[in-house]
PDB file of all heavy atoms in Angstrom:
ATOM      1  N   LEU A1775     -13.033 -31.799   2.893  1.00 97.00           N
ATOM      2  CA  LEU A1775     -12.163 -30.983   3.735  1.00 97.00           C
ATOM      3  C   LEU A1775     -11.072 -31.852   4.332  1.00 97.00           C
ATOM      4  O   LEU A1775     -11.359 -32.831   5.027  1.00 97.00           O
ATOM      5  CB  LEU A1775     -12.989 -30.332   4.851  1.00 97.00           C
ATOM      6  CG  LEU A1775     -12.276 -29.420   5.853  1.00 97.00           C
ATOM      7  CD1 LEU A1775     -11.656 -28.226   5.146  1.00 97.00           C
ATOM      8  CD2 LEU A1775     -13.265 -28.937   6.916  1.00 97.00           C
ATOM      9  N   ASP A1776      -9.811 -31.505   4.075  1.00 97.00           N
ATOM     10  CA  ASP A1776      -8.679 -32.262   4.605  1.00 97.00           C
ATOM     11  C   ASP A1776      -7.654 -31.301   5.191  1.00 97.00           C
ATOM     12  O   ASP A1776      -7.210 -30.362   4.516  1.00 97.00           O
ATOM     13  CB  ASP A1776      -8.031 -33.110   3.497  1.00 97.00           C
ATOM     14  CG  ASP A1776      -8.889 -34.301   3.113  1.00 97.00           C
ATOM     15  OD1 ASP A1776      -8.913 -35.275   3.885  1.00 97.00           O
ATOM     16  OD2 ASP A1776      -9.546 -34.238   2.050  1.00 97.00           O
ATOM     17  N   TYR A1777      -7.260 -31.570   6.442  1.00 97.00           N
ATOM     18  CA  TYR A1777      -6.292 -30.738   7.145  1.00 97.00           C
ATOM     19  C   TYR A1777      -4.950 -31.462   7.281  1.00 97.00           C
ATOM     20  O   TYR A1777      -4.914 -32.674   7.505  1.00 97.00           O
ATOM     21  CB  TYR A1777      -6.786 -30.386   8.549  1.00 97.00           C
ATOM     22  CG  TYR A1777      -7.960 -29.436   8.596  1.00 97.00           C
ATOM     23  CD1 TYR A1777      -8.948 -29.569   9.579  1.00 97.00           C
ATOM     24  CD2 TYR A1777      -8.077 -28.403   7.690  1.00 97.00           C
ATOM     25  CE1 TYR A1777     -10.017 -28.686   9.638  1.00 97.00           C
ATOM     26  CE2 TYR A1777      -9.139 -27.521   7.742  1.00 97.00           C
ATOM     27  CZ  TYR A1777     -10.103 -27.666   8.713  1.00 97.00           C
ATOM     28  OH  TYR A1777     -11.164 -26.784   8.769  1.00 97.00           O
ATOM     29  N   ALA A1778      -3.878 -30.688   7.184  1.00 96.00           N
ATOM     30  CA  ALA A1778      -2.533 -31.193   7.456  1.00 96.00           C
ATOM     31  C   ALA A1778      -2.000 -30.416   8.653  1.00 96.00           C
ATOM     32  O   ALA A1778      -1.702 -29.220   8.532  1.00 96.00           O
ATOM     33  CB  ALA A1778      -1.628 -30.999   6.243  1.00 96.00           C
ATOM     34  N   LEU A1779      -1.906 -31.082   9.802  1.00 96.00           N
ATOM     35  CA  LEU A1779      -1.429 -30.435  11.030  1.00 96.00           C
ATOM     36  C   LEU A1779       0.006 -30.881  11.276  1.00 96.00           C
ATOM     37  O   LEU A1779       0.252 -32.005  11.719  1.00 96.00           O
ATOM     38  CB  LEU A1779      -2.333 -30.803  12.213  1.00 96.00           C
ATOM     39  CG  LEU A1779      -3.834 -30.557  12.011  1.00 96.00           C
ATOM     40  CD1 LEU A1779      -4.618 -30.962  13.263  1.00 96.00           C
ATOM     41  CD2 LEU A1779      -4.103 -29.096  11.665  1.00 96.00           C
ATOM     42  N   SER A1780       0.958 -30.015  11.006  1.00 95.00           N
ATOM     43  CA  SER A1780       2.367 -30.409  11.021  1.00 95.00           C
ATOM     44  C   SER A1780       2.909 -30.698  12.415  1.00 95.00           C
ATOM     45  O   SER A1780       3.874 -31.459  12.556  1.00 95.00           O
ATOM     46  CB  SER A1780       3.222 -29.333  10.356  1.00 95.00           C
ATOM     47  OG  SER A1780       3.109 -28.092  11.029  1.00 95.00           O
ATOM     48  N   ARG A1781       2.337 -30.101  13.451  1.00 94.00           N
ATOM     49  CA  ARG A1781       2.871 -30.278  14.799  1.00 94.00           C
ATOM     50  C   ARG A1781       2.043 -31.215  15.669  1.00 94.00           C
ATOM     51  O   ARG A1781       2.348 -31.422  16.832  1.00 94.00           O
ATOM     52  CB  ARG A1781       3.005 -28.915  15.497  1.00 94.00           C
ATOM     53  CG  ARG A1781       3.941 -27.968  14.770  1.00 94.00           C
ATOM     54  CD  ARG A1781       4.196 -26.692  15.548  1.00 94.00           C
ATOM     55  NE  ARG A1781       4.980 -25.740  14.777  1.00 94.00           N
ATOM     56  CZ  ARG A1781       5.331 -24.536  15.202  1.00 94.00           C
ATOM     57  NH1 ARG A1781       4.972 -24.150  16.421  1.00 94.00           N
ATOM     58  NH2 ARG A1781       6.022 -23.725  14.434  1.00 94.00           N
ATOM     59  N   GLU A1782       0.972 -31.734  15.122  1.00 92.00           N
ATOM     60  CA  GLU A1782       0.189 -32.729  15.851  1.00 92.00           C
ATOM     61  C   GLU A1782      -0.587 -33.549  14.834  1.00 92.00           C
ATOM     62  O   GLU A1782      -0.662 -33.200  13.675  1.00 92.00           O
ATOM     63  CB  GLU A1782      -0.753 -32.044  16.859  1.00 92.00           C
ATOM     64  CG  GLU A1782      -1.799 -31.143  16.247  1.00 92.00           C
ATOM     65  CD  GLU A1782      -2.644 -30.437  17.298  1.00 92.00           C
ATOM     66  OE1 GLU A1782      -2.074 -29.940  18.277  1.00 92.00           O
ATOM     67  OE2 GLU A1782      -3.866 -30.370  17.119  1.00 92.00           O
ATOM     68  N   GLY A1783      -1.167 -34.620  15.284  1.00 80.00           N
ATOM     69  CA  GLY A1783      -1.917 -35.450  14.358  1.00 80.00           C
ATOM     70  C   GLY A1783      -1.045 -36.516  13.723  1.00 80.00           C
ATOM     71  O   GLY A1783       0.111 -36.727  14.107  1.00 80.00           O
ATOM     72  N   PRO A1784      -1.564 -37.200  12.708  1.00 91.00           N
ATOM     73  CA  PRO A1784      -0.838 -38.316  12.083  1.00 91.00           C
ATOM     74  C   PRO A1784       0.397 -37.847  11.316  1.00 91.00           C
ATOM     75  O   PRO A1784       0.482 -36.707  10.858  1.00 91.00           O
ATOM     76  CB  PRO A1784      -1.881 -38.915  11.127  1.00 91.00           C
ATOM     77  CG  PRO A1784      -2.798 -37.775  10.814  1.00 91.00           C
ATOM     78  CD  PRO A1784      -2.878 -36.974  12.077  1.00 91.00           C
ATOM     79  N   LEU A1785       1.361 -38.766  11.179  1.00 94.00           N
ATOM     80  CA  LEU A1785       2.571 -38.490  10.420  1.00 94.00           C
ATOM     81  C   LEU A1785       2.348 -38.819   8.944  1.00 94.00           C
ATOM     82  O   LEU A1785       1.369 -39.482   8.580  1.00 94.00           O
ATOM     83  CB  LEU A1785       3.731 -39.312  10.971  1.00 94.00           C
ATOM     84  CG  LEU A1785       4.069 -39.099  12.461  1.00 94.00           C
ATOM     85  CD1 LEU A1785       5.177 -40.046  12.883  1.00 94.00           C
ATOM     86  CD2 LEU A1785       4.465 -37.649  12.727  1.00 94.00           C
ATOM     87  N   ASN A1786       3.256 -38.373   8.099  1.00 93.00           N
ATOM     88  CA  ASN A1786       3.137 -38.729   6.688  1.00 93.00           C
ATOM     89  C   ASN A1786       3.612 -40.168   6.471  1.00 93.00           C
ATOM     90  O   ASN A1786       4.063 -40.834   7.408  1.00 93.00           O
ATOM     91  CB  ASN A1786       3.907 -37.742   5.806  1.00 93.00           C
ATOM     92  CG  ASN A1786       5.406 -37.730   6.101  1.00 93.00           C
ATOM     93  OD1 ASN A1786       5.981 -38.712   6.564  1.00 93.00           O
ATOM     94  ND2 ASN A1786       6.054 -36.603   5.825  1.00 93.00           N
ATOM     95  N   LYS A1787       3.543 -40.635   5.243  1.00 91.00           N
ATOM     96  CA  LYS A1787       3.841 -42.049   4.976  1.00 91.00           C
ATOM     97  C   LYS A1787       5.309 -42.398   5.218  1.00 91.00           C
ATOM     98  O   LYS A1787       5.654 -43.567   5.354  1.00 91.00           O
ATOM     99  CB  LYS A1787       3.446 -42.406   3.545  1.00 91.00           C
ATOM    100  CG  LYS A1787       4.252 -41.699   2.473  1.00 91.00           C
ATOM    101  CD  LYS A1787       3.802 -42.157   1.084  1.00 91.00           C
ATOM    102  CE  LYS A1787       4.674 -41.540  -0.012  1.00 91.00           C
ATOM    103  NZ  LYS A1787       4.236 -41.997  -1.362  1.00 91.00           N
ATOM    104  N   LYS A1788       6.175 -41.375   5.279  1.00 91.00           N
ATOM    105  CA  LYS A1788       7.588 -41.601   5.559  1.00 91.00           C
ATOM    106  C   LYS A1788       7.918 -41.479   7.042  1.00 91.00           C
ATOM    107  O   LYS A1788       9.078 -41.597   7.431  1.00 91.00           O
ATOM    108  CB  LYS A1788       8.440 -40.615   4.751  1.00 91.00           C
ATOM    109  CG  LYS A1788       8.304 -40.772   3.243  1.00 91.00           C
ATOM    110  CD  LYS A1788       9.171 -39.753   2.510  1.00 91.00           C
ATOM    111  CE  LYS A1788       9.021 -39.902   0.989  1.00 91.00           C
ATOM    112  NZ  LYS A1788       9.832 -38.889   0.270  1.00 91.00           N
ATOM    113  N   GLY A1789       6.906 -41.222   7.857  1.00 93.00           N
ATOM    114  CA  GLY A1789       7.129 -41.095   9.292  1.00 93.00           C
ATOM    115  C   GLY A1789       7.506 -39.699   9.740  1.00 93.00           C
ATOM    116  O   GLY A1789       7.847 -39.489  10.909  1.00 93.00           O
ATOM    117  N   GLY A1790       7.447 -38.742   8.838  1.00 95.00           N
ATOM    118  CA  GLY A1790       7.767 -37.355   9.184  1.00 95.00           C
ATOM    119  C   GLY A1790       6.525 -36.537   9.450  1.00 95.00           C
ATOM    120  O   GLY A1790       5.405 -37.045   9.489  1.00 95.00           O
ATOM    121  N   LYS A1791       6.732 -35.240   9.645  1.00 96.00           N
ATOM    122  CA  LYS A1791       5.604 -34.344   9.898  1.00 96.00           C
ATOM    123  C   LYS A1791       4.700 -34.260   8.674  1.00 96.00           C
ATOM    124  O   LYS A1791       5.150 -34.351   7.534  1.00 96.00           O
ATOM    125  CB  LYS A1791       6.108 -32.946  10.267  1.00 96.00           C
ATOM    126  CG  LYS A1791       6.839 -32.883  11.603  1.00 96.00           C
ATOM    127  CD  LYS A1791       7.262 -31.458  11.915  1.00 96.00           C
ATOM    128  CE  LYS A1791       7.956 -31.380  13.280  1.00 96.00           C
ATOM    129  NZ  LYS A1791       8.369 -29.983  13.603  1.00 96.00           N
ATOM    130  N   MET A1792       3.413 -34.072   8.942  1.00 96.00           N
ATOM    131  CA  MET A1792       2.434 -34.000   7.873  1.00 96.00           C
ATOM    132  C   MET A1792       2.315 -32.569   7.361  1.00 96.00           C
ATOM    133  O   MET A1792       1.716 -31.713   8.016  1.00 96.00           O
ATOM    134  CB  MET A1792       1.067 -34.484   8.365  1.00 96.00           C
ATOM    135  CG  MET A1792      -0.034 -34.424   7.325  1.00 96.00           C
ATOM    136  SD  MET A1792       0.178 -35.632   5.987  1.00 96.00           S
ATOM    137  CE  MET A1792      -0.261 -37.153   6.848  1.00 96.00           C
ATOM    138  N   TYR A1793       2.911 -32.314   6.197  1.00 96.00           N
ATOM    139  CA  TYR A1793       2.799 -31.005   5.572  1.00 96.00           C
ATOM    140  C   TYR A1793       1.762 -31.064   4.458  1.00 96.00           C
ATOM    141  O   TYR A1793       1.257 -32.138   4.103  1.00 96.00           O
ATOM    142  CB  TYR A1793       4.154 -30.548   5.030  1.00 96.00           C
ATOM    143  CG  TYR A1793       5.152 -30.240   6.123  1.00 96.00           C
ATOM    144  CD1 TYR A1793       6.244 -31.083   6.355  1.00 96.00           C
ATOM    145  CD2 TYR A1793       5.003 -29.113   6.933  1.00 96.00           C
ATOM    146  CE1 TYR A1793       7.163 -30.796   7.363  1.00 96.00           C
ATOM    147  CE2 TYR A1793       5.919 -28.824   7.944  1.00 96.00           C
ATOM    148  CZ  TYR A1793       6.987 -29.670   8.153  1.00 96.00           C
ATOM    149  OH  TYR A1793       7.884 -29.401   9.161  1.00 96.00           O
ATOM    150  N   ILE A1794       1.457 -29.902   3.901  1.00 97.00           N
ATOM    151  CA  ILE A1794       0.353 -29.825   2.944  1.00 97.00           C
ATOM    152  C   ILE A1794       0.580 -30.731   1.733  1.00 97.00           C
ATOM    153  O   ILE A1794      -0.351 -31.391   1.256  1.00 97.00           O
ATOM    154  CB  ILE A1794       0.136 -28.349   2.500  1.00 97.00           C
ATOM    155  CG1 ILE A1794      -1.126 -28.209   1.674  1.00 97.00           C
ATOM    156  CG2 ILE A1794       1.361 -27.818   1.766  1.00 97.00           C
ATOM    157  CD1 ILE A1794      -2.399 -28.468   2.460  1.00 97.00           C
ATOM    158  N   GLN A1795       1.821 -30.825   1.232  1.00 97.00           N
ATOM    159  CA  GLN A1795       2.085 -31.670   0.069  1.00 97.00           C
ATOM    160  C   GLN A1795       1.881 -33.155   0.402  1.00 97.00           C
ATOM    161  O   GLN A1795       1.470 -33.943  -0.462  1.00 97.00           O
ATOM    162  CB  GLN A1795       3.497 -31.434  -0.473  1.00 97.00           C
ATOM    163  CG  GLN A1795       4.632 -31.794   0.469  1.00 97.00           C
ATOM    164  CD  GLN A1795       5.093 -30.610   1.292  1.00 97.00           C
ATOM    165  OE1 GLN A1795       4.334 -29.656   1.473  1.00 97.00           O
ATOM    166  NE2 GLN A1795       6.330 -30.654   1.776  1.00 97.00           N
ATOM    167  N   ASP A1796       2.134 -33.514   1.672  1.00 96.00           N
ATOM    168  CA  ASP A1796       1.932 -34.907   2.073  1.00 96.00           C
ATOM    169  C   ASP A1796       0.446 -35.260   2.094  1.00 96.00           C
ATOM    170  O   ASP A1796       0.060 -36.369   1.707  1.00 96.00           O
ATOM    171  CB  ASP A1796       2.533 -35.139   3.464  1.00 96.00           C
ATOM    172  CG  ASP A1796       4.015 -34.811   3.520  1.00 96.00           C
ATOM    173  OD1 ASP A1796       4.746 -35.238   2.600  1.00 96.00           O
ATOM    174  OD2 ASP A1796       4.445 -34.131   4.473  1.00 96.00           O
ATOM    175  N   LYS A1797      -0.358 -34.311   2.540  1.00 97.00           N
ATOM    176  CA  LYS A1797      -1.803 -34.565   2.588  1.00 97.00           C
ATOM    177  C   LYS A1797      -2.376 -34.672   1.176  1.00 97.00           C
ATOM    178  O   LYS A1797      -3.213 -35.556   0.904  1.00 97.00           O
ATOM    179  CB  LYS A1797      -2.490 -33.454   3.378  1.00 97.00           C
ATOM    180  CG  LYS A1797      -4.007 -33.607   3.487  1.00 97.00           C
ATOM    181  CD  LYS A1797      -4.400 -34.935   4.113  1.00 97.00           C
ATOM    182  CE  LYS A1797      -3.985 -35.030   5.576  1.00 97.00           C
ATOM    183  NZ  LYS A1797      -4.544 -36.258   6.224  1.00 97.00           N
ATOM    184  N   VAL A1798      -1.931 -33.815   0.271  1.00 97.00           N
ATOM    185  CA  VAL A1798      -2.423 -33.898  -1.112  1.00 97.00           C
ATOM    186  C   VAL A1798      -1.978 -35.210  -1.756  1.00 97.00           C
ATOM    187  O   VAL A1798      -2.737 -35.852  -2.496  1.00 97.00           O
ATOM    188  CB  VAL A1798      -1.911 -32.695  -1.937  1.00 97.00           C
ATOM    189  CG1 VAL A1798      -2.331 -32.836  -3.400  1.00 97.00           C
ATOM    190  CG2 VAL A1798      -2.450 -31.389  -1.361  1.00 97.00           C
ATOM    191  N   GLU A1799      -0.754 -35.642  -1.441  1.00 96.00           N
ATOM    192  CA  GLU A1799      -0.228 -36.874  -2.018  1.00 96.00           C
ATOM    193  C   GLU A1799      -1.062 -38.086  -1.615  1.00 96.00           C
ATOM    194  O   GLU A1799      -1.167 -39.059  -2.382  1.00 96.00           O
ATOM    195  CB  GLU A1799       1.229 -37.072  -1.603  1.00 96.00           C
ATOM    196  CG  GLU A1799       1.909 -38.250  -2.274  1.00 96.00           C
ATOM    197  CD  GLU A1799       3.363 -38.390  -1.880  1.00 96.00           C
ATOM    198  OE1 GLU A1799       3.808 -37.695  -0.936  1.00 96.00           O
ATOM    199  OE2 GLU A1799       4.077 -39.195  -2.522  1.00 96.00           O
ATOM    200  N   GLU A1800      -1.649 -38.044  -0.425  1.00 96.00           N
ATOM    201  CA  GLU A1800      -2.489 -39.157   0.013  1.00 96.00           C
ATOM    202  C   GLU A1800      -3.648 -39.394  -0.948  1.00 96.00           C
ATOM    203  O   GLU A1800      -4.169 -40.506  -1.063  1.00 96.00           O
ATOM    204  CB  GLU A1800      -3.031 -38.893   1.417  1.00 96.00           C
ATOM    205  CG  GLU A1800      -1.989 -38.987   2.523  1.00 96.00           C
ATOM    206  CD  GLU A1800      -2.602 -38.801   3.902  1.00 96.00           C
ATOM    207  OE1 GLU A1800      -3.833 -38.528   3.975  1.00 96.00           O
ATOM    208  OE2 GLU A1800      -1.878 -38.934   4.900  1.00 96.00           O
ATOM    209  N   TYR A1801      -4.072 -38.340  -1.628  1.00 97.00           N
ATOM    210  CA  TYR A1801      -5.215 -38.448  -2.551  1.00 97.00           C
ATOM    211  C   TYR A1801      -4.771 -38.174  -3.994  1.00 97.00           C
ATOM    212  O   TYR A1801      -5.560 -37.685  -4.808  1.00 97.00           O
ATOM    213  CB  TYR A1801      -6.299 -37.450  -2.145  1.00 97.00           C
ATOM    214  CG  TYR A1801      -6.801 -37.630  -0.731  1.00 97.00           C
ATOM    215  CD1 TYR A1801      -6.245 -36.912   0.320  1.00 97.00           C
ATOM    216  CD2 TYR A1801      -7.818 -38.533  -0.444  1.00 97.00           C
ATOM    217  CE1 TYR A1801      -6.690 -37.080   1.620  1.00 97.00           C
ATOM    218  CE2 TYR A1801      -8.283 -38.707   0.846  1.00 97.00           C
ATOM    219  CZ  TYR A1801      -7.704 -37.978   1.875  1.00 97.00           C
ATOM    220  OH  TYR A1801      -8.157 -38.154   3.160  1.00 97.00           O
ATOM    221  N   ALA A1802      -3.519 -38.492  -4.293  1.00 96.00           N
ATOM    222  CA  ALA A1802      -2.952 -38.160  -5.599  1.00 96.00           C
ATOM    223  C   ALA A1802      -3.756 -38.737  -6.759  1.00 96.00           C
ATOM    224  O   ALA A1802      -4.001 -38.054  -7.762  1.00 96.00           O
ATOM    225  CB  ALA A1802      -1.502 -38.653  -5.674  1.00 96.00           C
ATOM    226  N   ASP A1803      -4.172 -39.973  -6.627  1.00 96.00           N
ATOM    227  CA  ASP A1803      -4.920 -40.594  -7.724  1.00 96.00           C
ATOM    228  C   ASP A1803      -6.229 -39.852  -7.993  1.00 96.00           C
ATOM    229  O   ASP A1803      -6.583 -39.598  -9.152  1.00 96.00           O
ATOM    230  CB  ASP A1803      -5.219 -42.063  -7.409  1.00 96.00           C
ATOM    231  CG  ASP A1803      -3.965 -42.931  -7.451  1.00 96.00           C
ATOM    232  OD1 ASP A1803      -2.972 -42.506  -8.086  1.00 96.00           O
ATOM    233  OD2 ASP A1803      -3.974 -44.022  -6.833  1.00 96.00           O
ATOM    234  N   GLU A1804      -6.933 -39.477  -6.921  1.00 97.00           N
ATOM    235  CA  GLU A1804      -8.205 -38.756  -7.088  1.00 97.00           C
ATOM    236  C   GLU A1804      -7.972 -37.357  -7.639  1.00 97.00           C
ATOM    237  O   GLU A1804      -8.750 -36.862  -8.468  1.00 97.00           O
ATOM    238  CB  GLU A1804      -8.940 -38.673  -5.758  1.00 97.00           C
ATOM    239  CG  GLU A1804      -9.440 -40.006  -5.225  1.00 97.00           C
ATOM    240  CD  GLU A1804     -10.174 -39.856  -3.901  1.00 97.00           C
ATOM    241  OE1 GLU A1804     -11.305 -39.333  -3.911  1.00 97.00           O
ATOM    242  OE2 GLU A1804      -9.614 -40.243  -2.863  1.00 97.00           O
ATOM    243  N   VAL A1805      -6.901 -36.707  -7.174  1.00 97.00           N
ATOM    244  CA  VAL A1805      -6.601 -35.357  -7.646  1.00 97.00           C
ATOM    245  C   VAL A1805      -6.268 -35.375  -9.139  1.00 97.00           C
ATOM    246  O   VAL A1805      -6.790 -34.564  -9.917  1.00 97.00           O
ATOM    247  CB  VAL A1805      -5.440 -34.746  -6.833  1.00 97.00           C
ATOM    248  CG1 VAL A1805      -4.954 -33.445  -7.481  1.00 97.00           C
ATOM    249  CG2 VAL A1805      -5.878 -34.475  -5.401  1.00 97.00           C
TER     250      VAL A1805
END
Side-chain angles (χ1 to χ4, degrees):
L1775 180 61
D1776 287 284
Y1777 290 145
L1779 307 180
S1780 60
R1781 300 187 186 179
E1782 63 183 44
L1785 302 176
N1786 62 27
K1787 65 178 184 180
K1788 298 180 181 178
K1791 293 182 178 180
M1792 179 69 74
Y1793 292 109
I1794 188 67
Q1795 63 267 23
D1796 302 314
K1797 180 57 67 172
V1798 176
E1799 186 178 10
E1800 289 184 356
Y1801 302 93
D1803 290 339
E1804 293 180 72
V1805 170

